[in-house]
Coordinates of all heavy atoms in Angstrom, one line a residue:
Chain A
G25 N 15.0 14.0 22.8 CA 14.4 15.0 23.8 C 14.5 14.4 25.2 O 14.9 15.1 26.2
C26 N 14.4 13.1 25.3 CA 14.5 12.5 26.7 C 15.9 12.5 27.2 O 16.2 12.6 28.3 CB 13.9 11.1 26.8 SG 12.1 11.1 26.6
S28 N 18.7 14.2 26.2 CA 19.5 15.4 26.2 C 19.5 15.9 27.6 O 18.5 16.0 28.3 CB 18.9 16.5 25.2 OG 17.8 16.9 25.6
Q29 N 20.6 16.4 28.1 CA 20.8 17.1 29.4 C 21.5 18.4 29.0 O 22.4 18.6 28.3 CB 21.5 16.3 30.4 CG 21.8 14.9 30.1 CD 22.8 14.5 31.1 OE1 23.5 15.1 31.9 NE2 23.1 13.1 31.1
P30 N 21.2 19.4 29.9 CA 21.8 20.7 29.8 C 23.4 20.5 30.1 O 23.7 19.7 31.0 CB 21.1 21.6 30.8 CG 20.5 20.7 31.8 CD 20.2 19.4 31.1
Q31 N 24.2 21.3 29.4 CA 25.7 21.2 29.7 C 25.9 22.0 30.9 O 25.2 23.0 31.2 CB 26.3 22.0 28.5 CG 27.7 21.7 28.2 CD 28.4 22.5 27.1 OE1 28.1 23.8 27.2 NE2 29.0 21.8 26.2
P32 N 26.9 21.6 31.7 CA 27.3 22.5 32.9 C 27.5 23.8 32.5 O 27.9 24.1 31.4 CB 28.5 21.7 33.5 CG 28.5 20.3 32.9 CD 27.9 20.5 31.5
L33 N 27.3 24.7 33.4 CA 27.5 26.2 33.2 C 29.1 26.4 32.9 O 29.4 27.4 32.1 CB 27.1 27.0 34.4 CG 25.6 27.2 34.6 CD1 25.4 27.9 36.0 CD2 24.9 27.9 33.5
Y34 N 29.9 25.8 33.7 CA 31.4 26.0 33.6 C 32.1 24.8 33.3 O 31.6 23.6 33.5 CB 31.8 26.4 35.1 CG 31.0 27.6 35.5 CD1 30.0 27.6 36.6 CD2 31.1 28.9 35.0 CE1 29.3 28.6 36.9 CE2 30.5 29.9 35.4 CZ 29.5 29.8 36.4 OH 28.8 31.0 36.8
Y35 N 33.4 25.0 32.9 CA 34.3 24.0 32.4 C 35.2 23.6 33.7 O 36.0 24.5 34.1 CB 35.1 24.5 31.3 CG 36.1 23.6 30.7 CD1 35.6 22.6 29.8 CD2 37.4 23.5 31.0 CE1 36.4 21.6 29.1 CE2 38.3 22.7 30.4 CZ 37.7 21.7 29.5 OH 38.6 20.7 28.9
W36 N 34.9 22.5 34.2 CA 35.5 22.2 35.6 C 36.9 21.5 35.5 O 37.8 21.8 36.1 CB 34.7 21.3 36.4 CG 33.4 22.0 36.9 CD1 32.2 22.1 36.2 CD2 33.3 23.1 38.0 NE1 31.4 23.1 36.9 CE2 32.1 23.6 38.0 CE3 34.3 23.5 38.9 CZ2 31.6 24.7 38.9 CZ3 33.9 24.5 39.8 CH2 32.6 24.9 39.8
Y39 N 40.0 21.5 38.1 CA 40.0 22.6 38.9 C 40.0 22.2 40.5 O 40.8 22.6 41.3 CB 39.2 23.8 38.6 CG 39.0 24.8 39.6 CD1 40.2 25.5 39.9 CD2 37.8 25.2 40.2 CE1 40.1 26.6 40.9 CE2 37.8 26.3 41.1 CZ 38.9 26.9 41.5 OH 39.0 27.9 42.4
Q40 N 38.9 21.5 40.8 CA 38.7 21.1 42.2 C 39.8 20.3 42.8 O 40.1 20.3 43.9 CB 37.3 20.6 42.4 CG 36.1 21.6 42.1 CD 34.9 21.3 42.8 OE1 34.3 22.2 43.6 NE2 34.4 20.0 42.8
V43 N 42.6 22.4 43.6 CA 42.2 23.1 44.9 C 42.6 22.2 46.1 O 43.3 22.5 47.1 CB 40.8 23.5 45.0 CG1 40.4 24.0 46.4 CG2 40.5 24.6 44.0
Y44 N 42.2 20.9 46.0 CA 42.6 19.9 47.0 C 44.0 19.8 47.2 O 44.5 19.5 48.4 CB 41.9 18.5 46.6 CG 41.8 17.6 47.8 CD1 41.4 17.9 49.1 CD2 42.1 16.3 47.6 CE1 41.5 17.0 50.2 CE2 42.2 15.3 48.5 CZ 41.8 15.7 49.9 OH 41.9 14.8 50.9
R46 N 46.3 21.7 46.6 CA 46.9 22.9 47.2 C 46.7 22.9 48.8 O 47.6 23.0 49.6 CB 46.3 24.3 46.7 CG 46.9 25.4 47.4 CD 46.0 26.5 47.8 NE 46.4 27.5 48.7 CZ 47.5 28.2 48.7 NH1 48.5 28.0 47.8 NH2 47.8 29.1 49.7
F47 N 45.4 22.5 49.2 CA 45.1 22.3 50.6 C 45.9 21.3 51.2 O 46.4 21.4 52.3 CB 43.7 22.0 50.8 CG 42.7 23.0 50.6 CD1 41.5 22.9 50.1 CD2 43.0 24.4 51.1 CE1 40.5 24.0 50.0 CE2 42.1 25.5 51.0 CZ 40.8 25.1 50.4
E48 N 46.2 20.1 50.5 CA 46.9 19.0 51.1 C 48.4 19.1 50.8 O 49.1 18.3 51.3 CB 46.4 17.6 50.5 CG 45.0 17.3 50.8 CD 44.8 17.0 52.3 OE1 45.4 16.1 52.9 OE2 44.1 17.8 53.1
P75 N 35.2 28.3 36.0 CA 34.3 28.4 37.2 C 34.6 29.7 37.9 O 35.7 30.3 37.9 CB 34.6 27.3 38.0 CG 35.4 26.3 37.1 CD 36.0 27.2 36.1
P76 N 33.6 30.2 38.8 CA 33.9 31.3 39.7 C 35.0 31.0 40.5 O 35.2 30.0 41.1 CB 32.6 31.3 40.5 CG 31.6 30.7 39.7 CD 32.2 29.7 38.9
G77 N 36.0 32.0 40.6 CA 37.1 31.8 41.6 C 38.3 31.2 40.8 O 39.5 31.3 41.4
F78 N 38.2 30.6 39.7 CA 39.3 30.0 39.0 C 40.4 31.0 38.8 O 41.6 30.7 39.2 CB 38.9 29.4 37.6 CG 40.0 28.7 36.8 CD1 39.9 27.4 36.8 CD2 40.9 29.5 36.0 CE1 41.1 26.8 36.1 CE2 41.8 28.8 35.3 CZ 41.8 27.5 35.3
A80 N 40.9 33.9 40.3 CA 41.4 34.4 41.5 C 42.4 33.4 42.1 O 43.5 33.8 42.7 CB 40.3 34.7 42.4
H81 N 42.1 32.2 42.1 CA 42.9 31.1 42.6 C 44.3 31.1 41.9 O 45.3 31.0 42.5 CB 42.1 29.7 42.5 CG 43.0 28.6 43.0 ND1 42.6 28.1 44.2 CD2 44.0 27.8 42.5 CE1 43.5 27.0 44.5 NE2 44.4 26.9 43.5
M84 N 46.3 34.0 43.0 CA 46.9 33.7 44.3 C 48.2 32.9 44.2 O 49.3 33.2 44.8 CB 46.0 33.0 45.2 CG 46.6 32.5 46.4 SD 45.4 31.4 47.3 CE 45.3 29.9 46.3
E88 N 52.3 33.7 45.0 CA 53.2 32.9 45.7 C 54.5 32.6 45.1 O 55.5 32.2 45.7 CB 52.5 31.6 46.1 CG 51.4 31.9 47.2 CD 50.5 30.8 47.6 OE1 50.7 29.6 47.1 OE2 49.6 31.0 48.4
F99 N 43.4 38.6 38.8 CA 42.4 39.2 39.6 C 41.4 40.1 38.9 O 40.3 40.2 39.1 CB 43.1 40.0 40.9 CG 43.6 39.1 41.9 CD1 44.7 39.5 42.7 CD2 43.1 37.8 42.1 CE1 45.3 38.7 43.7 CE2 43.7 37.0 43.0 CZ 44.7 37.4 43.9
E102 N 39.0 38.1 36.9 CA 38.0 37.5 37.8 C 36.9 38.6 38.0 O 35.7 38.3 37.9 CB 38.6 37.1 39.2 CG 37.6 36.6 40.2 CD 37.2 35.1 40.0 OE1 38.1 34.4 39.4 OE2 36.3 34.7 40.4
L105 N 34.8 39.1 34.8 CA 33.8 37.9 34.6 C 32.7 37.9 35.6 O 31.6 37.5 35.3 CB 34.7 36.6 34.6 CG 35.5 36.4 33.4 CD1 36.4 35.2 33.5 CD2 34.9 36.3 32.0
F106 N 33.2 38.2 36.9 CA 32.2 38.1 38.0 C 32.2 39.4 38.8 O 33.0 39.5 39.8 CB 32.5 36.8 38.9 CG 32.6 35.6 38.2 CD1 33.8 34.9 37.7 CD2 31.3 35.0 37.9 CE1 33.7 33.8 37.0 CE2 31.4 33.7 37.2 CZ 32.5 33.1 36.7
P107 N 31.4 40.4 38.4 CA 31.4 41.6 39.1 C 31.1 41.5 40.7 O 31.5 42.4 41.4 CB 30.4 42.3 38.4 CG 30.2 41.8 37.1 CD 30.5 40.4 37.4
E108 N 30.4 40.3 41.0 CA 30.1 40.1 42.5 C 31.4 40.1 43.2 O 31.4 40.1 44.5 CB 29.4 38.8 42.6 CG 28.1 38.5 41.8 CD 28.4 37.9 40.4 OE1 29.3 38.3 39.8 OE2 27.6 37.0 40.1
S109 N 32.6 39.7 42.6 CA 33.7 39.6 43.3 C 34.6 40.8 43.5 O 35.6 40.9 44.1 CB 34.6 38.5 42.6 OG 35.2 39.1 41.3
Q111 N 34.7 43.7 45.1 CA 35.2 44.3 46.4 C 36.4 43.4 46.9 O 37.4 43.8 47.4 CB 34.2 44.5 47.3 CG 34.5 45.3 48.7 CD 33.3 45.6 49.4 OE1 32.3 45.8 49.1 NE2 33.5 45.5 50.8
Y112 N 36.2 42.0 46.9 CA 37.1 41.1 47.3 C 38.3 41.2 46.5 O 39.5 41.1 47.0 CB 36.5 39.7 47.4 CG 37.5 38.7 48.1 CD1 38.1 39.0 49.2 CD2 37.5 37.4 47.6 CE1 39.0 38.0 49.8 CE2 38.3 36.4 48.2 CZ 39.1 36.7 49.2 OH 39.9 35.8 49.8
M113 N 38.2 41.3 45.2 CA 39.4 41.3 44.2 C 40.2 42.6 44.5 O 41.5 42.5 44.5 CB 38.9 41.2 42.8 CG 38.3 39.9 42.4 SD 39.5 38.5 42.7 CE 38.5 37.6 43.9
F115 N 40.4 44.2 47.3 CA 41.0 43.9 48.7 C 42.2 43.0 48.4 O 43.4 43.4 48.9 CB 40.1 43.1 49.6 CG 40.6 42.5 50.8 CD1 40.8 43.4 51.9 CD2 41.0 41.2 50.8 CE1 41.3 42.8 53.1 CE2 41.5 40.7 52.0 CZ 41.7 41.3 53.1
L116 N 42.2 42.0 47.5 CA 43.4 41.1 47.4 C 44.5 41.8 46.6 O 45.6 41.6 46.9 CB 42.9 39.9 46.5 CG 42.0 38.9 47.3 CD1 41.4 37.9 46.4 CD2 42.7 38.3 48.4
K119 N 46.4 43.8 49.0 CA 47.2 42.9 49.7 C 48.4 42.3 49.0 O 49.6 42.2 49.5 CB 46.4 41.8 50.4 CG 45.3 42.3 51.4 CD 45.8 42.6 52.7 CE 44.8 43.1 53.6 NZ 45.2 43.7 54.9
F120 N 48.1 41.8 47.8 CA 49.1 41.0 47.0 C 50.1 42.0 46.4 O 51.2 41.5 46.0 CB 48.5 40.0 46.1 CG 48.0 38.8 46.7 CD1 46.6 38.5 46.9 CD2 48.9 37.9 47.2 CE1 46.2 37.4 47.5 CE2 48.4 36.7 47.9 CZ 47.1 36.5 48.0
Chain B
A193 N 23.2 36.7 45.3 CA 23.9 36.3 44.2 C 25.3 35.7 44.5 O 25.9 35.0 43.6 CB 24.3 37.7 43.4
S194 N 25.8 35.9 45.7 CA 27.1 35.3 45.9 C 27.2 34.6 47.3 O 26.3 35.0 48.2 CB 28.2 36.5 46.0 OG 27.9 37.5 46.9
K208 N 41.4 15.0 57.5 CA 41.3 15.3 56.1 C 40.0 15.9 55.8 O 39.7 16.5 54.7 CB 41.7 14.1 55.1 CG 43.2 13.7 55.3 CD 43.3 12.5 54.4 CE 43.5 12.8 53.0 NZ 44.7 12.3 52.4
Y211 N 39.2 20.0 54.6 CA 39.6 20.5 53.3 C 39.0 19.6 52.2 O 38.9 20.0 51.0 CB 41.1 20.4 53.2 CG 41.7 21.7 53.8 CD1 42.9 21.6 54.6 CD2 41.1 22.9 53.7 CE1 43.5 22.7 55.2 CE2 41.7 24.1 54.3 CZ 42.9 24.0 55.0 OH 43.5 25.1 55.5
S212 N 38.8 18.4 52.4 CA 38.2 17.5 51.5 C 36.9 18.0 50.9 O 36.7 18.2 49.9 CB 38.0 16.0 52.0 OG 37.2 15.2 51.2
Y214 N 35.6 20.9 51.6 CA 35.8 22.3 51.1 C 36.2 22.5 49.7 O 35.8 23.3 48.9 CB 36.9 23.0 52.0 CG 36.9 24.5 52.1 CD1 35.6 25.2 52.1 CD2 38.0 25.3 52.4 CE1 35.5 26.6 52.2 CE2 37.9 26.7 52.5 CZ 36.6 27.3 52.4 OH 36.6 28.7 52.5
S215 N 37.0 21.5 49.2 CA 37.5 21.5 47.8 C 36.3 21.0 46.9 O 36.6 21.2 45.6 CB 38.7 20.6 47.6 OG 38.4 19.3 47.9
H216 N 35.2 20.4 47.4 CA 34.1 19.9 46.5 C 33.0 20.9 46.3 O 32.2 20.8 45.4 CB 33.6 18.7 47.1 CG 34.5 17.4 46.8 ND1 34.7 17.0 45.6 CD2 35.1 16.6 47.7 CE1 35.4 15.9 45.6 NE2 35.6 15.6 46.8
I217 N 32.8 21.9 47.3 CA 31.6 22.6 47.4 C 31.3 23.7 46.2 O 30.3 24.2 46.0 CB 31.4 23.3 48.7 CG1 32.5 24.3 49.2 CG2 31.2 22.3 49.8 CD1 32.4 25.6 48.5
T218 N 32.5 24.1 45.7 CA 32.3 25.1 44.6 C 31.5 24.7 43.5 O 30.7 25.5 43.0 CB 33.8 25.6 44.0 OG1 34.5 25.9 45.1 CG2 33.7 26.8 43.2
L219 N 31.6 23.4 43.1 CA 30.9 23.0 41.9 C 29.4 23.0 42.0 O 28.7 23.7 41.2 CB 31.4 21.5 41.5 CG 31.0 20.9 40.2 CD1 32.0 19.9 39.6 CD2 29.6 20.4 40.0
S222 N 28.1 26.8 42.3 CA 28.3 27.5 41.1 C 27.3 27.1 40.1 O 26.8 27.9 39.3 CB 29.8 27.3 40.5 OG 30.7 27.7 41.4
E223 N 27.1 25.7 39.9 CA 26.3 25.2 38.9 C 24.8 25.6 39.3 O 24.0 25.6 38.4 CB 26.4 23.7 38.8 CG 27.7 23.3 38.1 CD 27.9 23.7 36.6 OE1 26.7 23.9 36.0 OE2 29.0 24.0 36.1
G225 N 24.0 28.4 40.2 CA 23.9 29.8 39.7 C 24.4 30.9 40.7 O 24.0 32.1 40.5
Y226 N 25.2 30.5 41.6 CA 25.8 31.5 42.4 C 27.4 31.8 42.2 O 28.1 30.9 41.6 CB 25.7 31.1 43.9 CG 24.2 30.9 44.4 CD1 23.6 29.6 44.3 CD2 23.5 32.0 44.7 CE1 22.3 29.6 44.6 CE2 22.2 32.0 45.1 CZ 21.6 30.7 45.1 OH 20.2 30.6 45.4
Y227 N 27.7 33.0 42.5 CA 29.1 33.3 42.4 C 29.7 32.8 43.9 O 29.2 33.2 44.9 CB 29.5 34.8 42.4 CG 31.0 35.1 42.4 CD1 31.8 34.6 41.4 CD2 31.6 35.5 43.7 CE1 33.2 34.8 41.5 CE2 33.0 35.5 43.8 CZ 33.7 35.2 42.8 OH 35.1 35.3 42.8
V228 N 30.6 31.8 43.8 CA 31.2 31.3 45.0 C 32.6 31.8 45.1 O 33.4 31.6 44.3 CB 31.3 29.7 44.9 CG1 31.8 29.1 46.1 CG2 29.9 29.2 44.6
L229 N 32.9 32.5 46.3 CA 34.3 33.0 46.4 C 35.3 31.7 46.5 O 35.0 30.8 47.0 CB 34.3 33.8 47.8 CG 33.9 35.2 47.6 CD1 32.4 35.3 47.4 CD2 34.2 36.0 48.9
P230 N 36.5 32.1 45.8 CA 37.4 30.9 45.7 C 38.0 30.5 47.1 O 38.4 31.3 47.9 CB 38.6 31.6 45.0 CG 38.4 33.1 45.1 CD 36.9 33.3 45.4
V231 N 37.6 29.2 47.4 CA 37.8 28.7 48.7 C 39.2 28.7 49.2 O 39.5 29.0 50.4 CB 37.2 27.2 48.9 CG1 35.8 27.2 48.8 CG2 37.9 26.3 47.9
A232 N 40.2 28.5 48.3 CA 41.6 28.5 48.7 C 42.0 29.8 49.0 O 42.9 30.1 49.9 CB 42.5 27.8 47.6
V233 N 41.6 30.8 48.3 CA 41.9 32.2 48.4 C 41.3 32.7 49.8 O 41.9 33.5 50.5 CB 41.5 33.1 47.3 CG1 42.0 34.6 47.5 CG2 41.9 32.5 46.0
V234 N 40.1 32.4 50.1 CA 39.4 32.8 51.2 C 40.2 32.2 52.4 O 40.4 32.9 53.5 CB 37.9 32.2 51.2 CG1 37.4 32.3 52.7 CG2 37.1 33.0 50.3
D235 N 40.6 30.9 52.3 CA 41.3 30.2 53.4 C 42.7 30.9 53.6 O 43.0 31.2 54.8 CB 41.6 28.7 52.9 CG 42.3 27.9 54.1 OD1 41.5 27.9 55.2 OD2 43.3 27.5 53.9
E236 N 43.2 31.3 52.6 CA 44.6 32.2 52.7 C 44.3 33.4 53.4 O 45.2 33.8 54.2 CB 45.2 32.3 51.2 CG 46.6 32.8 51.2 CD 47.5 31.8 51.9 OE1 47.3 30.7 52.0 OE2 48.4 32.4 52.5
T237 N 43.2 34.1 53.0 CA 42.9 35.5 53.7 C 42.8 35.3 55.2 O 43.4 36.0 55.9 CB 41.6 36.1 53.1 OG1 41.8 36.3 51.6 CG2 41.3 37.4 53.8
Q240 N 46.2 34.7 56.8 CA 47.0 35.8 56.8 C 46.6 36.8 57.9 O 47.2 37.7 58.3 CB 47.1 36.5 55.4 CG 47.9 35.8 54.5 CD 48.0 36.4 53.1 OE1 47.6 37.7 53.0 NE2 48.7 35.8 52.2
H258 N 31.2 40.4 56.0 CA 30.7 41.3 54.8 C 31.6 42.3 54.5 O 31.8 42.7 53.3 CB 29.3 41.8 55.4 CG 28.4 42.4 54.1 ND1 27.9 43.6 54.2 CD2 28.3 41.8 52.9 CE1 27.4 43.8 53.0 NE2 27.5 42.7 52.2
E259 N 32.2 43.0 55.5 CA 33.2 44.0 55.3 C 34.4 43.5 54.4 O 34.8 44.3 53.4 CB 33.8 44.5 56.6 CG 34.6 45.8 56.6 CD 35.2 46.0 58.0 OE1 34.4 45.9 59.0 OE2 36.4 46.1 58.1
I260 N 35.0 42.4 54.6 CA 36.2 41.9 53.9 C 35.7 41.3 52.7 O 36.4 41.6 51.6 CB 36.9 41.0 54.7 CG1 37.6 41.5 56.0 CG2 38.1 40.4 53.9 CD1 38.2 40.8 57.0
F261 N 34.7 40.4 52.6 CA 34.5 39.6 51.5 C 33.4 40.1 50.5 O 33.3 39.8 49.4 CB 34.3 38.1 51.9 CG 35.3 37.4 52.5 CD1 35.3 37.3 53.9 CD2 36.4 36.9 51.9 CE1 36.4 36.6 54.7 CE2 37.5 36.4 52.5 CZ 37.5 36.1 53.9
A262 N 32.5 40.9 51.1 CA 31.4 41.5 50.4 C 30.6 40.5 49.7 O 29.9 40.8 48.6 CB 32.0 42.5 49.4
L322 N 17.1 13.0 37.3 CA 18.4 12.7 36.6 C 19.5 12.8 37.5 O 20.5 12.1 37.4 CB 18.5 13.7 35.4 CG 19.7 13.5 34.5 CD1 19.5 12.2 33.8 CD2 19.6 14.7 33.5
L326 N 22.4 10.1 38.1 CA 23.9 10.5 37.9 C 24.7 10.1 39.1 O 25.8 9.5 39.0 CB 24.1 12.0 37.5 CG 23.5 12.3 36.1 CD1 23.7 13.8 36.0 CD2 24.3 11.6 35.1
D340 N 41.7 7.4 48.8 CA 41.0 8.5 48.4 C 39.5 8.3 48.5 O 38.7 9.1 48.0 CB 41.4 9.0 47.2 CG 41.9 10.4 47.1 OD1 41.8 11.1 48.3 OD2 42.3 10.9 46.1
H343 N 37.4 11.0 50.1 CA 37.3 12.3 49.4 C 36.4 12.1 48.1 O 35.6 13.0 47.8 CB 38.8 12.5 48.7 CG 38.9 13.8 48.1 ND1 38.5 15.1 48.7 CD2 39.3 14.1 46.8 CE1 38.7 16.0 47.9 NE2 39.1 15.6 46.6
R367 N 22.7 33.1 38.2 CA 23.5 32.8 37.0 C 22.9 31.3 36.5 O 23.5 30.9 35.5 CB 24.9 32.6 37.3 CG 25.6 34.0 37.6 CD 27.1 33.9 37.9 NE 27.7 35.2 37.9 CZ 28.3 35.8 37.0 NH1 28.2 35.3 35.8 NH2 28.8 37.1 37.1
A368 N 22.0 30.8 37.1 CA 21.5 29.6 36.7 C 20.8 29.6 35.3 O 20.2 30.7 35.0 CB 20.4 28.9 37.7
R369 N 21.0 28.6 34.6 CA 20.4 28.5 33.2 C 18.8 28.5 33.5 O 18.4 27.6 34.2 CB 20.9 27.4 32.5 CG 20.5 27.4 31.0 CD 21.1 26.1 30.2 NE 22.5 26.2 30.0 CZ 23.4 25.6 30.6 NH1 23.1 24.6 31.5 NH2 24.6 25.6 30.4
R374 N 8.7 21.8 29.5 CA 8.5 21.0 28.3 C 6.9 21.1 27.9 O 6.2 21.0 28.8 CB 8.8 19.6 28.6 CG 10.3 19.4 28.6 CD 10.8 18.0 28.9 NE 12.3 18.0 28.8 CZ 13.0 18.0 27.8 NH1 12.4 18.0 26.5 NH2 14.3 18.0 27.7

Side-chain angles (χ1 to χ4, degrees):
Chain A
C26 288
S28 70
Q29 351 168 349
Q31 200 184 48
L33 288 173
Y34 305 107
Y35 187 78
W36 292 96
Y39 173 53
Q40 295 203 130
V43 170
Y44 190 48
R46 183 229 166 39
F47 282 143
E48 294 295 296
F78 181 99
H81 182 100
M84 173 188 68
E88 287 174 3
F99 286 154
E102 181 81 27
L105 293 172
F106 300 103
E108 304 94 313
S109 72
Q111 192 174 320
Y112 186 40
M113 290 306 114
F115 169 86
L116 291 171
K119 295 281 175 180
F120 281 111
Chain B
S194 57
K208 293 173 82 122
Y211 280 143
S212 168
Y214 204 31
S215 68
H216 280 301
I217 56 87
T218 309
L219 195 155
S222 300
E223 290 294 329
Y226 295 98
Y227 176 75
V228 182
L229 276 72
V231 293
V233 186
V234 166
D235 189 60
E236 190 60 33
T237 299
Q240 289 185 4
H258 193 228
E259 189 189 307
I260 296 173
F261 298 104
L322 189 58
L326 289 174
D340 237 353
H343 188 56
R367 289 179 177 269
R369 194 176 282 110
R374 287 186 178 277

